[in-house]
Amino acid sequence: LYDNGFELAEYLIFISFFVVRASVIAIKYGYYSEEDLRNIEHGVSTGKWNVQSSDKKMLLAGWCGIPRLLPGVIQDCINDAQVAVEVDLKKVSFKLSSQDSLAWNADSKMDTGDCDKVSALHVFSRVVTSTFGESIFNRKRYVRGCVVGVWSLAWTAPALKACFGLPIFGNCWQSKLIGGLILFNEMIFGTLTLLLLACTAHDFHRRCNATRMLSKLMTLPGMPEEEFYANLGPSDQDVEVPTDVLLKEWKKRSETSDPAIDLSSLAVQMTNVAVDVSNTSLESDSESCSNRYIHFDIRDPENAFAWMLTRRTLRKCGAAYFRRGILFQANYMLAGILGVVIANSYIWTETPHYIFGEVGLIVYFLVLTFTFVASAHFASTLQESVGDDRLMLKRDIFLIEKEIIDVRSEMHDLKENSNPEEEELGLEELEGYCQILESSKTFIRSSEALVAYEEEEHDPIIVLGFKADSVIVSSILSLCLGSLWLIYEGYSNTDFKYNGEGLFTIESEG
């Protein structure tokens, strides 16, 4: 059984990484458009396809890896999302709740041309760039988790062999060479393969942050201006930064790097727009920058409409990467389940094997399962954010109804205590205001119903074919614990035990 230095389970784990990797590549190319496939076939010689074009289509190298450093990745997703929803966000605008509390002024060039309005495309681009522009490599715990998980798996068998006094890679040079190649491939390619599943978790996490950021703009007190303009980079080609925010960023960089950094150069670097600014004219504004908030009152029908379109567009941002990630989840989970099924079959069928093969399969299952659980957790968090937004809308409906009651009461008092001329003018004004409130209530109620149907019934987040929620996470954890308990029960109820050499054999023979 161990003449060549390896147990069957070691080969199965090694081969499974290649199978999973091959299926990942197949899924990736399956989501390429026909035009992309033609460019791959003929475009290298014509210049239509290059290394950068390939990186932009990848999940790890492009969408989750370094999206800010690949020109067009984020902007293409912004444009594609608008096409998918069939909307042009340039023609939609948010109305600022209070100009006095914001940095935007008459000098700001908004697409609407009004100083109290902000283009929905401006808001959408800022939300997408701020959240989706974050690289997975900035989240060190993802990378560390993948490295620790795969390297623990790779070294499980060699460590157990050493504990039982067995040769780690066999006795001949051929087996040592093969063993070294297997170990190297598991550590390197296994880490890269598992990082793709971590990319799915990272993408779900970014989508949660994007949804929260958009919701924060609609709830009091709003979002601090500095936070809204955080994480600026080369991708923000169309983002116009208020001059006081620009000055604050200049001061921060001057303290940490070169004090002689030129402010105009920083403006070009951050916005790709040449800005003629002077330090003196901006000093007075910079002190109040941190006290200003950006808020859009969703009770305004114009804001509710812009929020709905922006939210629907946000769900379609990077849709192709998103669907690939969902298939990656199922792919990895099925591979993990296959590993634990083989581990159980070893015990329950009393198949002779070494303990390092059994433990390797268990570790393989645990590594894939817990990485999947992290991804499913963020998927369920994203899906549950639908309920949070519905609750926000219902609260606003409640507040509008209370305001309507107050207006009706004021109208009643006006009829009781005023002369006919004042009564007619006052009632006309209050009646008009009441009609606006009624229209707002109706529109927000329709928005809430649309969110409920579209995102909870028609097109919810799917994990393993089921709607993502806390139940799916609990089910996977239950499957994990149940599978381990089944292995323990099988081992406890059989006459086969592991002997001093780690071989699974009849106890009397040990």
Side-chain angles (χ1 to χ4, degrees), residues 19-32 324 328:
V19 173
V20 170
R21 179 70 178 170
S23 63
V24 164
I25 294 174
I27 292 171
K28 179 185 75 172
Y29 284 110
Y31 275 97
Y32 276 25
R324 279 163 57 183
F328 287 167

Side-chain angles (χ1 to χ4, degrees), residues 114-326:
D114 298 324
C115 62
D116 65 337
K117 291 185 178 182
V118 184
S119 166
L121 180 59
H122 178 90
V123 175
F124 177 65
S125 300
R126 191 77 284 280
V127 170
V128 170
T129 307
S130 180
T131 53
F132 287 89
E134 183 182 14
S135 170
I136 187 175
F137 300 109
N138 292 339
R139 295 190 172 274
K140 303 298 183 184
R141 65 177 182 273
Y142 286 161
V143 180
R144 285 196 297 265
C146 291
V147 171
V148 170
V150 173
W151 285 43
S152 298
L153 172 62
W155 285 98
T156 293
L160 287 174
K161 289 177 186 177
C163 290
F164 284 94
L166 298 171
I168 295 178
F169 297 130
N171 295 310
C172 61
W173 69 269
Q174 293 95 333
S175 65
K176 294 182 188 300
L177 175 62
I178 294 173
L181 291 174
I182 289 177
L183 186 64
F184 174 80
N185 277 279
E186 283 188 356
M187 288 191 299
I188 302 302
F189 292 104
T191 301
L192 294 175
T193 303
L194 198 63
L195 269 174
L196 290 172
L197 184 56
C199 281
T200 304
H202 177 61
D203 191 36
F204 281 132
H205 193 186
R206 294 188 305 183
R207 292 177 186 277
C208 291
N209 292 338
T211 303
R212 292 193 191 105
M213 183 174 177
L214 184 59
S215 298
K216 192 173 183 179
L217 291 168
M218 310 305 296
T219 54
L220 287 172
M223 175 175 287
E225 188 182 70
E226 287 182 284
E227 184 178 344
F228 183 76
Y229 283 110
N231 302 321
L232 286 169
S235 299
D236 292 277
Q237 296 182 6
D238 299 323
V239 173
E240 298 188 21
V241 185
T243 51
D244 50 1
V245 176
L246 193 62
L247 177 64
K248 206 169 189 67
E249 179 69 16
W250 172 71
K251 286 184 174 181
K252 183 173 68 174
R253 297 193 186 189
S254 296
E255 292 172 357
T256 56
S257 56
D258 183 7
I261 185 171
D262 181 64
L263 185 55
S264 297
S265 301
L266 178 61
V268 174
Q269 177 185 345
M270 293 174 65
T271 66
N272 286 348
V273 177
V275 180
D276 183 16
V277 293
S278 63
N279 298 349
T280 306
S281 63
L282 296 174
E283 283 290 346
S284 58
D285 292 331
S286 63
E287 301 300 327
S288 60
C289 175
S290 59
N291 298 325
R292 287 195 290 263
Y293 285 78
I294 299 173
H295 173 246
F296 310 115
D297 190 352
I298 200 170
R299 289 176 291 177
D300 187 316
E302 186 174 353
N303 285 339
F305 179 68
W307 176 79
M308 273 299 301
L309 291 183
T310 305
R311 194 180 193 283
R312 293 188 68 216
T313 310
L314 186 62
R315 281 178 61 87
K316 298 297 182 181
C317 191
Y321 301 104
F322 180 73
R323 290 192 294 269
R324 279 163 57 183
I326 290 175

Side-chain angles (χ1 to χ4, degrees), residues 433-488:
Y433 181 54
C434 195
Q435 289 178 0
I436 293 175
L437 291 175
E438 289 284 358
S439 300
S440 297
K441 184 180 73 171
T442 302
F443 187 83
I444 293 175
R445 182 169 288 156
S446 300
S447 300
E448 189 271 331
L450 178 60
V451 169
Y453 175 75
E454 183 176 28
E455 301 183 18
E456 292 189 343
E457 296 183 28
H458 177 68
D459 188 26
I461 307 299
I462 299 296
V463 173
L464 295 180
F466 300 94
K467 187 171 78 170
D469 53 23
S470 57
V471 175
I472 192 72
V473 177
S474 301
S475 300
I476 297 300
L477 290 175
S478 298
L479 172 65
C480 178
L481 295 175
S483 300
L484 296 179
W485 179 257
L486 195 61
I487 292 175
Y488 173 76

